[in-house]
């Protein structure tokens, strides 16, 4: 993360800058995945891990809350480059602190890097996103069909590679577990719903509501800061309320909050967005607090890193696809003034992301009900409950 940030600032070339962001993304993915793995190693299942997972979820929200504010302030004071210097310095400090203070943890069965799986998965996602973007110019164009074909082929190759690999990036057999499937679906849903629409919001309010960068970052706090506070308070949720119940309720709550953001018109101001942002923020905090815990609890002991990596991959794939879909829906060409078109596009995008969140919540609830039914059936047949 530090090296990518510094190179991106020092080398004044667009291509190098984009590649440096890829490097930062790879580093960030490693940090996020390993962080949950360390929590799973350090805290036994129960209240302690629930509290630690809540802090982790709050950290995710805090980064989203502070990043735009810090960037906007530094740009006003000096230069947009400063945000990258701050990221580089923070990365170095975090690395040194982790090296000195965090005990090392290793799997009982060390695993290699699944290069083939990573490449085929990356190609599949990239081709899908490119197809969605190109589709804005016409869904029947040959380039769209080719990209969709590449996405399908790469996905099939990924499945084949993972099934044959001795150390797969994602053990596909885990998808047969309702717990793992629920955590993965929740991660995809929160990425394609709340994160996708909130990522688009700063640019939208700047163009449609004439709010500057600092103002839009401050408005975003109504969602992100609320999610931080809720994630920290989530540890007080009674222990008998299961994590998947929190995920289902939280996703439905996110959907309701996003739905409240629709219906904007030319007379709407920033205050019109506050109720929906606050509701979505509360629900996102509940989801973030439970998601980390469920990600590592849904995989076998000693595989917390895989659970964390798979869950965060699902979240960011959902975000990437969701952001692209929001951009396609919200910026589609249409008659009338540019501002009216932006408002109409936002209203549609809010409904779409709300629908994604609610459907995801209902899916998690259905998987939770399947697990409970299976446990009751096992108890009746064996006289005891087992997994």
């Amino acid at each position: 993360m530090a090296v990518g940030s510094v190179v991106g600032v020092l080398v004044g070339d667009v291509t190098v800058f984009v590649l440096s962001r890829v490097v930062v993304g790879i580093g960030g993915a490693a940090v996020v995945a390993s962080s949950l793995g360390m929590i799973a190693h350090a805290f036994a299942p129960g209240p302690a891990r629930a509290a630690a997972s809540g802090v982790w979820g709050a950290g995710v929200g805090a980064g989203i809350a502070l990043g735009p504010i810090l960037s906007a302030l530094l740009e006003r004071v000096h230069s947009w480059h400063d945000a990258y210097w701050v990221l580089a310095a923070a990365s170095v400090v975090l690395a040194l602190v982790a090296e000195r203070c965090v005990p090392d943890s290793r799997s009982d069965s060390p695993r290699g890097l699944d290069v083939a799986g990573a490449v085929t998965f990356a190609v599949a996602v990239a081709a899908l996103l490119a197809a969605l973007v190109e589709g804005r110019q016409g869904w029947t164009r040959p380039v769209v069909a080719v990209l969709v074909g590449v996405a399908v082929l790469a996905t099939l190759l990924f499945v084949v590679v993972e099934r044959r690999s001795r150390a797969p990036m994602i053990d596909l057999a885990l998808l047969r577990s309702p717990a793992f499937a629920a955590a993965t679906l929740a991660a995809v849903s929160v990425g394609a719903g709340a994160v996708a629409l909130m990522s688009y919001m700063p640019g939208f309010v700047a163009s449609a509501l004439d709010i500057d960068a600092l103002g839009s970052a401050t408005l975003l706090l109504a969602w992100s800061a609320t999610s931080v506070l809720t994630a920290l308070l989530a540890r007080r949720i009674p222990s008998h309320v299961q994590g998947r119940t929190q995920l289902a309720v939280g996703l439905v709550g996110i959907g309701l909050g996003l739905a409240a953001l629709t219906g904007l018109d030319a007379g709407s101001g920033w205050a019109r967005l506050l109720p929906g942002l606050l509701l979505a923020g509360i629900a996102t905090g509940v989801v973030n607090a439970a998601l980390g815990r469920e990600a590592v609890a849904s995989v076998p002991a000693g595989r917390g890193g895989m659970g964390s990596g798979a869950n965060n991959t699902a979240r960011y794939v959902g975000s990437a696809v969701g952001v692209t879909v929001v951009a396609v829906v919200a910026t589609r060409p249409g008659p009338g003034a540019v501002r009216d078109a932006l408002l109409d596009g936002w209203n549609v995008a809010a409904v779409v992301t709300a629908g994604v969140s609610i459907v995801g919540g209902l899916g998690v609830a259905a998987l939770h009900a399947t697990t409970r039914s299976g446990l009751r059936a096992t108890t009746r047949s064996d006289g005891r409950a087992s997994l």
Side-chain angles (χ1 to χ4, degrees), residues 136-162:
R136 297 171 61 187
Q137 307 300 322
W139 296 103
T140 59
R141 297 166 61 218
V143 65
V144 177
V146 171
L147 288 169
V148 171
V150 171
V152 172
L153 179 60
T155 301
L156 294 175
L157 287 174
F158 172 73
V159 172
V160 172
V161 168
E162 297 305 280

Side-chain angles (χ1 to χ4, degrees), residues 85-381:
W85 287 113
V86 171
L87 175 61
S91 300
V92 171
V93 171
L94 178 62
L96 293 175
V97 171
E99 180 66 24
R100 290 176 176 272
C101 302
V102 178
D104 197 12
S105 59
R106 298 180 182 275
S107 172
D108 295 333
S109 303
R111 301 162 57 81
L113 182 64
D114 182 12
V115 176
V119 170
T120 52
F121 187 80
V123 170
V125 175
L128 174 61
L129 298 179
L132 292 172
V133 173
E134 291 294 332
R136 297 171 61 187
Q137 307 300 322
W139 296 103
T140 59
R141 297 166 61 218
V143 65
V144 177
V146 171
L147 288 169
V148 171
V150 171
V152 172
L153 179 60
T155 301
L156 294 175
L157 287 174
F158 172 73
V159 172
V160 172
V161 168
E162 297 305 280
R163 288 184 177 275
R164 295 184 176 182
S165 176
R166 293 182 178 179
M169 182 175 74
I170 299 177
D171 186 352
L172 298 180
L174 289 172
L175 291 173
R176 293 196 293 267
S177 164
F180 183 82
T184 303
L185 175 59
V188 171
S189 300
V190 75
V195 175
L197 191 63
M198 294 304 107
S199 298
Y200 176 73
M201 191 185 78
F204 163 74
V205 297
S207 301
L209 304 182
D210 297 324
I211 298 176
D212 62 15
L214 183 58
S216 63
T218 304
L219 181 61
L220 187 64
L221 284 175
W223 170 70
S224 55
T226 303
S227 74
V228 173
L229 180 61
T230 307
L232 291 174
L233 294 175
R235 72 183 71 182
R236 300 185 182 278
I237 295 176
S239 58
H240 66 268
V241 179
Q242 298 186 15
R244 271 170 281 169
T245 300
Q246 294 181 40
L247 292 178
V249 173
L251 284 169
V252 172
I254 290 174
L256 296 177
L258 298 182
L261 298 176
T262 193
L264 299 187
D265 55 33
S268 299
W270 61 268
R272 168 65 177 76
L273 297 168
L274 277 182
L277 290 173
L278 292 173
L279 176 56
I282 293 172
T284 302
V286 173
V287 171
N288 284 343
L291 199 54
R293 184 171 75 255
E294 290 300 302
V296 296
S298 61
V299 296
R303 304 286 290 278
M306 173 179 282
S308 170
N311 196 266
N312 284 289
T313 297
R315 180 197 292 261
Y316 291 117
V317 168
S319 301
V321 174
V323 167
T324 306
V325 170
V326 166
V328 170
V329 170
T331 61
R332 65 192 191 285
V338 173
R339 185 180 183 186
D340 291 338
L342 286 172
L343 290 168
D344 291 341
W346 168 269
N347 291 334
V348 174
V351 171
V352 170
T353 52
V356 168
S357 302
I358 292 174
V359 169
L362 295 177
V364 171
L367 288 167
H368 185 37
T370 300
T371 303
R372 292 173 64 89
S373 298
L375 286 173
R376 285 196 296 269
T378 304
T379 302
R380 285 194 296 270
S381 61

